[in-house]
Amino acid sequence: MIKIKTKPNPYGFTLIELIVVIAIIGIILILALPQVSKLQEANKNRKYEVYQQAVESGAKLYVDSHARDLFGNNNSGCVTVN
């Protein structure tokens, strides 16, 4: 029986190198996840604020366009919606 010597692949990674890389990625994820959740919460709150401003702006435009004075004439000008 003839034994064939094989050379290790010089371009491959060892098991230890792969474990170290996975551990580093895990540490980065552990550090980054709280920041990502804070950003998501802040964006959710900001979304509702922008929606409120859009509805308020639409209501002001509607009231301004359809406002009538005591004589039934259309008024134009600024209107404050409470």
Side-chain angles (χ1 to χ4, degrees), residues 18-79:
L18 291 175
I19 290 173
V20 168
V21 168
I22 291 171
I24 291 172
I25 291 173
I27 291 170
I28 291 172
L29 284 175
I30 289 171
L31 295 174
L33 282 178
Q35 296 298 323
V36 170
S37 65
K38 286 179 188 177
L39 285 175
Q40 287 177 339
E41 186 69 27
N43 285 336
K44 185 171 71 171
N45 293 337
R46 179 71 180 139
K47 176 179 68 172
Y48 293 128
E49 292 170 7
V50 170
Y51 181 69
Q52 176 190 1
Q53 292 171 358
V55 169
E56 185 178 308
S57 175
K60 286 180 181 180
L61 286 172
Y62 178 82
V63 170
D64 190 35
S65 299
H66 295 88
R68 299 197 181 275
D69 62 6
L70 293 173
F71 304 109
N73 300 322
N74 282 343
N75 289 334
S76 64
C78 296
V79 175

